[in-house]
Amino acid sequence: MSLNRKDLLGLKDLTADEITLILDTAEPMKEIIQRQIKKVPTMRGKAVVNLFYEPSTRTRTSFELAGKYMSADTINISTSTSSVVKGESLKDTAKTIEVMGTDVVILRHPVAGAPHILARHVSASVINAGDGAHEHPTQALLDMYTIREKKGTLAGLRVAIVGDILHSRVARSNIFGLTKMGSEVRVVGPATLMAPEIEKMGAKPYYNLEEGLQDADVVMVLRLQLERQQKGLFPTIREYARIFGVTKDRLKVASPDVIVMHPGPMNRGVEIAPDVADSVEAVINEQVTNGVAVRMALLYLLAGGGNPHEPAN
Amino acid sequence: MNLLIRGGRVVDPANNMDQVADIYITNGKIASVGAQIDVSRHDCEVIDAQGKWVFPGFIDMHVHLREPGYEAKETIATGTRAAARGGFTSVACMPNTNPVIDNRALVEFVKAKALAEGVVHVFPIGAITKGSRGEELAEIGDMYQAGAIAISDDGQPVANAQLMRLAMQYAMMFDIPIISHCEDKQLVADGVMNEGYCSTLFGLRGITRAAEEIMVARDILLAEVTGAKLHIAHVSTRGSVELVRMAKKKGLRVTAEATPHHFTLTEEAVGNYDTSTKVNPPLRSAEDVQAVKEGLKDGTIDIIATDHAPHTVEEKDVEYNYAPFGMIGLETAWGLIYEELVEKGILDLKEAVAKLTVRPAAIFGLQGKGSLTVGYDGDITIIDPALEETVNPDNFASKARNSAFIGRRLKALPVYTIVQGKIVMNNRTL
Ligand SMILES: [Zn+2]
Ligand SMILES: [Zn+2]
């Protein structure tokens, strides 16, 4: 089975069946990662370009490993190290990618919709690795994979997403994905960082952390961009930590078997207390491993051929 | 050269006329309007207008011709050709050029250039403040005497309320309207589209309606204090429509315009990230579009103007946040007015034509324009109600291509544009 689409631009357009297919496909991929020799020939002869207009070592490395484990030829292009400099338009870059015969482009971009524009200009599959405050579908898929792994299901779970909802593509993609899979999604944060009319997306806003965490099965803590404070979106980082920082104490109102997630990198002591980050409830390291598995699954479903279980020789 | 337009359905709102008639133009002026004009003795060109609609020439009081300074986007030559192709015989051009039209010499430059290279009438609008920087008043009186018909810092709101008040008081000496681009820049922040569910969904920064409405309210209050003629540009929200309605009820000299894109498209059009949909003020919600239509219907919104804002393909063919604001509108305006307002029963034909002719002429004091009264300029727009066409950028006379209506089928299109008795557009070509 494969995804019947050229690109993965967001979770808004995916069906619950497609999401399930991706998560199911990630399971054997995770098994490959845990082997001694992490290599399958699934993507042999395929060219994958990591095109990053915004730095993110974590996401880029995860995609790069996913490609390499499946024998793809991957190259990284980032704004600081290549011809992709200010002045060359995304459309020009698209032309270059097209003539290079690329099979998959993974695009990270600071502007919402950039992957959609690129996808219209190239025949390669485009995977959105984060576009502005719009979507970060692979992060949400790895989050959902991790939740499913821990809880056995996504249906009927109470998931609280805490932090800067307004600027968060992680929050948006998770809301799209989780609500489709039957979870109840709450978004918690200061009013100045809440996205307008977000309840129409199916997520209930909370402005009080304890209320938002009440009986939550999953707490997803977002990274706070500290420079938002400079823009006056909240008074001080200290006040943010006091009112919206996720601490051991505050987690007491959540479900006894709550799991705590964070897309990283963490501001310890700001949005998440150090003892929470290092607690048994935290599944932050698993998220990283699962990220590679989910991205392998996506590359396979969009551009791979052959049997993913076949070992490399 | 004399011109006879024979047998068309003549709609002239100023004279409350809607009947089949002939129009005879001589020496560039309307000589007579009536049944069966006999011109057999004259040397005369004849247009057979049977089955066509004959209107006073359309007037667009809000266009950006970009000359001087941004000739890559548009020039007076190309912009007036786009106007002619859209059935407009007169346009007023905004002063946010480079340099800004803030003195007599530049007003005269635009007029001279329009006379030499333009194909329709061009009425320059002068800046309110020097360089549109919002710091000191421009030489409004001198520009008025040189031919500026109104003043505006369009694109740049006058942030300082005291300066705006002084501008209004000053402009009253010449009885010219002050056109306000209503926008509170602090509230706009980094916004690129309307704020609401769609901005949340598309992950783009929103612009609250209050950014527009606060300035509409402020300027109405200042118009009340000063008694000045205030014209609100590109009204886009329900709140703005209500504020203008209130001002009119109070008897203030406040008028307003709406653009075809604001009464045709909603914020949902932004969903494909086509940068043509990035306009200022932004495309709003269905409820706002409805309110703008109601405002047009009940007369709260006096006129329709395109805010024709040309940009180069290179500037617009980028990621959404990086693109400049603005959409072209001259060549698609009438088709959209017809479909969205006339066919949908918001305005009848006469009312729609009034918003493009007699009303703008009256508000901006354009002599001899906006009607088919004998002695007025022979400016005429002829529409073929049977003509349908798909909007194709290859046919644009404008240099720009930033239209969100490309590929849309439009009907009842202009087939003749006649300026002072001279045919400048015939059968959709110049
Ligand atoms: Zn404006
Ligand atoms: Zn304008």
Side-chain angles (χ1 to χ4, degrees):
Chain A
M1 207 180 162
S2 68
L3 276 178
N4 196 17
R5 54 177 67 239
K6 172 172 136 344
D7 312 298
L8 182 81
L9 302 179
L11 292 196
K12 177 170 167 254
D13 305 317
L14 288 194
T15 63
D17 283 348
E18 286 177 300
I19 291 169
T20 303
L21 171 67
I22 297 165
L23 301 185
D24 289 350
T25 309
E27 279 177 16
M29 299 300 177
K30 185 164 182 181
E31 187 261 317
I32 291 166
I33 299 170
Q34 285 156 346
R35 288 183 199 164
Q36 204 75 38
I37 296 164
K38 305 165 176 59
K39 200 105 175 163
V40 289
T42 318
M43 299 274 292
R44 186 181 286 157
K46 303 274 182 179
V48 178
V49 172
N50 278 319
L51 181 55
F52 276 55
Y53 283 78
E54 213 178 53
S56 169
T57 312
R58 190 177 287 243
T59 304
R60 202 207 63 222
T61 310
S62 181
F63 270 111
E64 201 177 342
L65 281 175
K68 291 206 153 97
Y69 290 166
M70 294 199 296
S71 310
D73 296 308
T74 62
I75 60 157
N76 297 315
I77 305 176
S78 59
T79 45
S80 50
T81 61
S82 75
S83 67
V84 184
V85 288
K86 226 180 164 144
E88 184 179 5
S89 73
L90 184 61
K91 214 181 148 197
D92 293 336
T93 308
K95 271 183 212 140
T96 313
I97 286 165
E98 193 69 6
V99 296
M100 289 193 306
T102 309
D103 298 290
V104 182
V105 188
I106 291 145
L107 179 68
R108 159 68 67 99
H109 200 289
V111 179
H116 303 68
I117 296 169
L118 183 69
R120 285 200 284 266
H121 286 111
V122 297
S123 54
S125 289
V126 175
I127 298 178
N128 182 358
D131 63 327
H134 184 219
E135 283 229 42
H136 195 349
T138 59
Q139 176 70 41
L141 287 164
L142 77 88
D143 291 339
M144 289 158 75
Y145 183 90
T146 308
I147 298 170
R148 199 177 76 161
E149 195 177 47
K150 295 287 167 188
K151 301 284 181 188
T153 178
L154 292 165
L157 294 180
R158 275 182 288 265
V159 182
I161 307 177
V162 183
D164 178 357
I165 308 299
L166 177 61
H167 300 91
S168 177
R169 51 197 174 209
V170 175
R172 281 175 182 72
S173 283
N174 266 299
I175 294 167
F176 285 130
L178 286 165
T179 53
K180 269 178 208 176
M181 302 307 285
S183 306
E184 176 198 317
V185 181
R186 304 160 175 187
V187 284
V188 190
T192 47
L193 295 175
M194 193 58 77
E197 299 180 45
I198 193 151
E199 60 283 359
K200 287 193 192 163
M201 285 181 76
K204 191 171 178 214
Y206 288 79
Y207 303 97
N208 176 296
L209 185 57
E210 278 80 4
E211 282 173 25
L213 296 185
Q214 190 72 43
D215 301 319
D217 301 296
V218 178
V219 176
M220 204 178 271
V221 186
L222 300 174
R223 176 178 166 80
L224 184 72
Q225 303 299 132
L226 301 179
E227 63 270 22
R228 304 279 182 229
Q229 197 242 319
Q230 254 86 61
K231 290 194 167 179
L233 292 174
F234 57 91
T236 59
I237 291 166
R238 176 182 164 275
E239 172 156 322
Y240 183 90
R242 284 180 69 94
I243 299 182
F244 290 101
V246 174
T247 61
K248 272 253 154 168
D249 205 36
R250 291 224 171 88
L251 274 176
K252 283 179 187 153
V253 298
S255 159
D257 57 351
V258 66
I259 59 169
V260 177
M261 312 177 83
H262 192 294
M266 293 180 275
N267 298 302
R268 286 167 182 264
V270 182
E271 73 264 10
I272 190 164
D275 57 348
V276 174
D278 301 324
S279 67
V280 289
E281 290 88 2
V283 295
I284 296 159
N285 292 332
E286 283 99 316
Q287 285 176 272
V288 177
T289 311
N290 294 339
V292 179
V294 161
R295 288 169 178 127
M296 286 171 75
L298 271 173
L299 288 172
Y300 168 69
L301 290 168
L302 287 173
N307 183 348
H309 306 285
E310 184 190 339
N313 43 16
Chain B
M1 192 64 181
N2 305 317
L3 181 66
L4 179 70
I5 302 162
R6 182 162 265 165
R9 175 183 170 189
V10 178
V11 178
D12 181 13
N15 293 309
N16 198 25
M17 177 180 186
D18 183 352
Q19 66 190 70
V20 172
D22 298 348
I23 299 174
Y24 182 54
I25 301 166
T26 183
N27 297 323
K29 307 273 186 204
I30 308 277
S32 56
V33 180
Q36 309 286 323
I37 296 172
D38 179 17
V39 290
S40 51
R41 291 158 298 155
H42 306 286
D43 168 23
C44 182
E45 190 174 349
V46 178
I47 293 175
D48 177 10
Q50 278 187 63
K52 312 270 197 303
W53 300 340
V54 181
F55 303 147
F58 293 157
I59 300 167
D60 187 347
M61 294 311 300
H62 190 152
V63 307
H64 297 270
L65 295 179
R66 305 297 188 203
E67 191 175 357
Y70 304 110
E71 289 84 355
K73 298 174 194 266
E74 194 82 284
T75 61
I76 290 169
T78 58
T80 56
R81 277 167 179 77
R85 204 168 162 272
F88 292 92
T89 56
S90 295
V91 296
C93 59
M94 285 296 177
N96 61 338
T97 49
N98 186 15
V100 170
I101 299 168
D102 63 359
N103 61 65
R104 167 184 285 268
L106 283 163
V107 170
E108 283 170 349
F109 165 82
V110 170
K111 285 180 69 181
K113 200 83 176 169
L115 212 57
E117 296 172 14
V119 298
V120 306
H121 302 285
V122 175
F123 295 101
I125 296 166
I128 300 171
T129 65
K130 288 180 191 146
S132 287
R133 283 187 298 272
E135 289 160 8
E136 308 164 79
L137 291 182
E139 291 181 339
I140 295 166
D142 204 21
M143 288 194 289
Y144 164 72
Q145 284 167 358
I149 49 111
I151 51 168
S152 180
D153 276 356
D154 187 42
Q156 288 297 330
V158 180
N160 180 329
Q162 166 66 356
L163 189 61
M164 190 63 163
R165 173 196 169 162
L166 294 173
M168 286 187 187
Q169 286 176 329
Y170 200 81
M172 278 183 69
M173 292 192 295
F174 317 105
D175 204 33
I176 53 171
I178 184 159
I179 305 172
S180 181
H181 168 107
C182 292
E183 182 184 12
D184 181 310
K185 290 274 190 193
Q186 263 85 39
L187 272 173
V188 169
D190 302 321
V192 295
M193 68 171 292
N194 186 45
E195 180 180 290
Y197 176 52
C198 282
S199 65
T200 290
L201 203 57
F202 306 153
L204 293 168
R205 288 308 304 276
I207 302 173
T208 171
R209 293 167 179 83
E212 174 175 325
E213 292 159 3
I214 280 174
M215 288 299 239
V216 173
R218 183 200 76 171
D219 287 350
I220 286 172
L221 292 173
L222 292 174
E224 185 166 17
V225 170
T226 58
K229 272 189 189 168
L230 170 69
H231 180 74
I232 309 288
H234 39 56
V235 166
S236 78
T237 76
R238 173 171 290 276
S240 296
V241 175
E242 280 166 7
L243 286 163
V244 173
R245 191 175 284 134
M246 224 165 63
K248 289 195 160 172
K249 222 169 260 167
K250 275 187 171 178
L252 306 181
R253 295 202 295 168
V254 172
T255 55
E257 73 192 25
T259 76
H261 54 264
H262 284 117
F263 63 70
T264 303
L265 299 174
T266 68
E267 57 190 339
E268 289 181 24
V270 177
N272 62 6
Y273 300 98
D274 171 3
T275 57
S276 292
T277 64
K278 186 174 171 183
V279 288
N280 183 7
L283 300 174
R284 305 284 189 184
S285 70
E287 198 203 336
D288 295 302
V289 169
Q290 186 54 35
V292 167
K293 286 181 169 177
E294 284 162 18
L296 283 161
K297 189 182 177 73
D298 71 10
T300 301
I301 299 173
D302 302 80
I303 65 171
I304 296 164
T306 64
D307 196 4
H308 179 80
H311 294 291
T312 65
V313 170
E314 290 72 26
E315 287 168 298
K316 275 288 197 180
D317 214 351
V318 293
E319 297 84 327
Y320 207 84
N321 288 3
Y322 303 158
F325 288 93
M327 188 190 307
I328 55 170
L330 284 166
E331 294 174 72
T332 51
W334 172 255
L336 296 169
I337 291 166
Y338 181 71
E339 195 175 328
E340 295 294 327
L341 303 178
V342 179
E343 276 202 327
K344 293 188 177 166
I346 312 287
L347 302 177
D348 64 28
L349 202 55
K350 205 187 285 175
E351 291 165 334
V353 171
K355 296 210 187 278
L356 291 171
T357 59
V358 58
R359 292 295 298 138
I363 293 166
F364 293 91
L366 309 181
Q367 297 301 315
K369 302 266 177 228
S371 125
L372 301 173
T373 305
V374 171
Y376 273 42
D377 288 342
D379 295 348
I380 292 190
T381 302
I382 302 180
I383 303 292
D384 181 352
L387 184 65
E388 269 192 55
E389 211 175 74
T390 300
V391 179
N392 177 354
D394 294 343
N395 298 333
F396 282 158
S398 171
K399 274 194 184 183
R401 299 290 178 266
N402 50 313
S403 165
F405 300 108
I406 287 167
R408 183 170 172 142
R409 199 128 180 100
L410 295 179
K411 57 190 143 189
L413 295 168
V415 285
Y416 283 100
T417 303
I418 298 159
V419 178
Q420 287 187 306
K422 192 172 154 240
I423 297 168
V424 297
M425 188 276 283
N426 182 354
N427 196 24
R428 315 283 303 129
T429 52
L430 289 134

